[in-house]
Amino acid sequence: MASLPPRRWLLRGALALVVGALLLAAAVSAATYEPTNLGPGTIDEPANGSTVVSVQGFHFQGIGNGKKPARLVSAGPRGATEWVHNGSQEGARWFYDVDPLANGNLLVTSTVPGDTVVYELDPETDSRVWEETFDAEDTHDVDLINGDQLLVANMRKTNESGVANDRLFIYDRSEGEIVWEWTFNEHFPESTDGGYSEDWSHVNDVDKIGDGKYLASPRNFDQVIVVDRETDDITTRLGSDGNHSRLFEQHNPDYLEGPNGTPTILVADSENDRVIEYAREGPGEWNRTWELSGGFNWPRDADRLPNGNTLITDTLNHRVVEVTPDGEIVWEYYAPWAPYDAERLSAAGSSERNASVGGSHGPTATEMNASGNYSLSGSAKSGPGDQARFSSWVAAAAAGTPVQEVVQSAAERYAHVTPFFRPVWLSSWAFAALVGALLVVLVWVVGEVVYQRRRIRRRVAGVFS
């Protein structure tokens, strides 16, 4: 009877089969995967007017990815793409906040390497009316307030000593200078978020919600605050550093007022993959009145519309959805790559709409008798939000085991990070299979080096002898 090959060759054969199977799975998945393009999903109810979406896009080390462009797009009532403003062609690295102005133009926040460029865009002519450039890296939000002033959320700023100096400031365009600033390190201890870093607060949003009252979102601090311009005090605070059950690296909170003027905050709770609403029942006492989850992948904007529905930017599912109070999608628009902000023009009219609380904003969940926890439903099932993801399968497989919490946390982080590096023509399963094959090959190579170390050492010695 013939003898079996040596064990090392059996192991090599098994590794080769694993690599081949993973590569085949990746190839099959890639061949059958259809990337998401601009266009409508579910349209049960035509939207009340156009919806402008800012699409972040993706650059790495200043090099753009043509498959993931930064752009602004306008979607019509039935989801038809009305126009596209391609920022990547103008050197924009990212697109972030977009605000409708009273004259029908748009205030655009974009970045180029090392700077922030803010400009008024005339969408009819696709031209800039004016622009300002700030020495500020990766700014996510700039609002036009008080006529001709720019309210800026300035993240990733350090002083001469290298200390985090993240701040809010107001730049007066008429005077050509900063007329007010507020720094986070004067109001938060250094220990917040583990200590000072290049991206300490990651303040991603600031809105004027009243005279001298500014709502800000220091994302890395897991909280939303209201700053009083006159006193520089934090007058309102929702959340606390590390309390992820309340907020976990949120984006773009909106301030509403409920019955009897109850302060209410609607926010995209991004790392928890949900949209939530809190009402302040007393000093520091916040009650979660509404929650929508299930099917989101890193939502980064939520606006309550006058009709009571909520417009949500579901970033890594590359779509914007309008949902009813009980979570049913009635309008859906796909906008790759990585939409950041969406604005329904009929619900806006001015970038200072937050200053007249309750004006263009819609009702709170309490006012609609819609308080409760709801699950997202009603998608057209034509985009990544309805496709099974590798990370979801891993999290489900770990459910009920001793490592459930660790594995699910890692799977969630994987779901939020890998899309930035995954080619648009690969599904999450194909990418996972490809990464798995590369890891097996890496382990194989390391094993061969260890096994052949003496032979390698002799050959290297022979070369230099």
Side-chain angles (χ1 to χ4, degrees), residues 275-298:
V275 175
I276 49 180
E277 183 178 310
Y278 287 98
R280 193 175 69 177
E281 308 296 345
E285 297 179 7
W286 292 92
N287 178 36
R288 188 185 305 163
T289 54
W290 187 75
E291 177 179 336
L292 178 62
S293 59
F296 291 126
N297 191 7
W298 209 40

Side-chain angles (χ1 to χ4, degrees), residues 92-339:
R93 188 172 183 176
W94 313 105
F95 269 161
Y96 288 113
D97 192 67
V98 58
D99 284 329
L101 300 175
N103 62 4
N105 290 343
L106 301 169
L107 183 71
V108 181
T109 301
S110 68
T111 68
V112 297
D115 291 328
T116 293
V117 180
V118 185
Y119 57 93
E120 179 181 339
L121 174 71
D122 182 342
E124 290 190 2
T125 62
D126 197 30
S127 61
R128 301 184 185 191
V129 178
W130 56 261
E131 69 177 60
E132 298 283 355
T133 300
F134 296 112
D135 180 15
E137 182 179 358
D138 205 27
T139 301
H140 285 28
D141 187 28
V142 179
D143 288 354
L144 184 65
I145 66 170
N146 305 332
D148 204 27
Q149 294 184 333
L150 297 174
L151 176 61
V152 183
N154 184 192
M155 68 165 72
R156 297 184 183 175
K157 180 175 175 58
T158 57
N159 62 19
E160 297 79 4
S161 302
V163 174
N165 208 36
D166 302 8
R167 60 181 178 161
L168 309 175
F169 70 83
I170 294 176
Y171 176 82
D172 191 292
R173 296 191 63 237
S174 299
E175 298 181 16
E177 63 182 13
I178 292 174
V179 295
W180 176 81
E181 67 178 335
W182 187 92
T183 57
F184 284 88
N185 62 26
E186 294 180 356
H187 301 272
F188 289 86
E190 181 180 351
S191 59
T192 308
D193 193 46
Y196 293 150
S197 66
E198 292 183 358
D199 187 23
W200 189 44
S201 71
H202 199 98
V203 56
N204 57 38
D205 186 60
V206 61
D207 293 323
K208 178 182 176 181
I209 62 171
D211 290 338
K213 307 292 185 183
Y214 306 128
L215 181 76
S217 172
R219 187 198 76 174
N220 288 351
F221 297 172
D222 306 313
Q223 56 195 274
V224 175
I225 61 175
V226 175
V227 175
D228 186 295
R229 177 175 178 174
E230 183 176 351
T231 65
D232 276 355
D233 291 335
I234 296 175
T235 60
T236 303
R237 188 191 309 265
L238 166 64
S240 58
D241 186 33
N243 182 5
H244 295 162
S245 63
R246 175 149 289 184
L247 290 175
F248 190 4
E249 296 191 356
Q250 75 291 331
H251 284 79
N252 295 326
D254 268 8
Y255 184 82
L256 313 173
E257 283 190 355
N260 303 316
T262 302
T264 304
I265 293 177
L266 174 71
V267 59
D269 191 14
S270 306
E271 290 293 330
N272 281 326
D273 287 330
R274 63 184 181 179
V275 175
I276 49 180
E277 183 178 310
Y278 287 98
R280 193 175 69 177
E281 308 296 345
E285 297 179 7
W286 292 92
N287 178 36
R288 188 185 305 163
T289 54
W290 187 75
E291 177 179 336
L292 178 62
S293 59
F296 291 126
N297 191 7
W298 209 40
R300 290 192 294 175
D301 185 42
D303 298 334
R304 182 62 44 76
L305 300 174
N307 65 0
N309 291 345
T310 306
L311 189 68
I312 300 169
T313 303
D314 188 12
T315 293
L316 292 183
N317 283 328
H318 307 297
R319 64 179 177 176
V320 175
V321 294
E322 179 183 341
V323 300
T324 62
D326 61 2
E328 181 182 0
I329 296 173
V330 294
W331 187 89
E332 182 178 38
Y333 180 77
Y334 290 100
W337 198 89

Side-chain angles (χ1 to χ4, degrees), residues 448-450 452-461:
E448 290 286 1
V449 169
V450 172
Q452 304 283 358
R453 62 189 181 280
R454 293 178 181 173
R455 181 180 298 178
I456 294 172
R457 189 181 305 120
R458 288 196 299 269
R459 290 188 175 181
V460 171

Side-chain angles (χ1 to χ4, degrees), residues 408-451:
Q408 289 184 347
S409 177
E412 198 65 39
R413 179 62 62 178
Y414 177 92
H416 292 169
V417 171
T418 54
F420 287 91
F421 303 98
R422 189 178 79 226
V424 295
W425 45 270
L426 281 180
S427 69
S428 66
W429 286 94
F431 185 73
L434 186 60
V435 170
L438 292 176
L439 289 175
V440 172
V441 169
L442 179 62
V443 171
W444 188 353
V445 170
V446 171
E448 290 286 1
V449 169
V450 172
Y451 180 73

